[in-house]
Amino acid sequence: MPLTIVAQMTAKDGKADALHEALVGLVGPTLSEVGCEIYELHRPVEDPNLFHFHEVWTTREDWNAHGQSAHITAFRAVGGELLADRKIFQLERIA
């Protein structure tokens, strides 16, 4: 059964543009990963500091491998400078 992920990230004050650039840089490499069905970056129109990834992975194992990928590891190295908050929601379809 596919795994849906919603990752919510809030930029630190003054870091929204840098976070935006870093997150956009994750899209291409992630879409080429095994098991990545959907990887979309969204931003609410009313809050430029908030970002959401909507992800669908074929298996949990594929998503776990994504977390160990070179581009995610590199993002984690700079994420502390850019992120005020991060929440990851693992979702299952119920209807």
Side-chain angles (χ1 to χ4, degrees), residues 17-28:
D17 290 342
L19 181 58
H20 175 254
E21 183 177 329
L23 295 176
V24 167
L26 298 176
V27 175

Side-chain angles (χ1 to χ4, degrees), residues 1-8 53-57 59-61 63-64 86-94:
M1 175 180 292
L3 175 66
T4 299
I5 301 293
V6 173
Q8 175 180 296
F53 272 114
H54 169 235
E55 311 172 28
V56 177
W57 295 89
T59 67
R60 180 173 297 282
E61 292 76 21
W63 179 63
N64 288 339
R86 179 182 74 126
K87 295 178 184 164
I88 308 263
F89 301 94
Q90 299 177 41
L91 308 173
E92 60 183 19
R93 178 180 274 174
I94 57 173

Side-chain angles (χ1 to χ4, degrees), residues 26-45:
L26 298 176
V27 175
T30 299
L31 285 170
S32 68
E33 289 181 54
V34 171
C36 180
E37 298 179 17
I38 296 173
Y39 197 76
E40 299 174 335
L41 180 60
H42 299 265
R43 179 189 257 175
V45 295

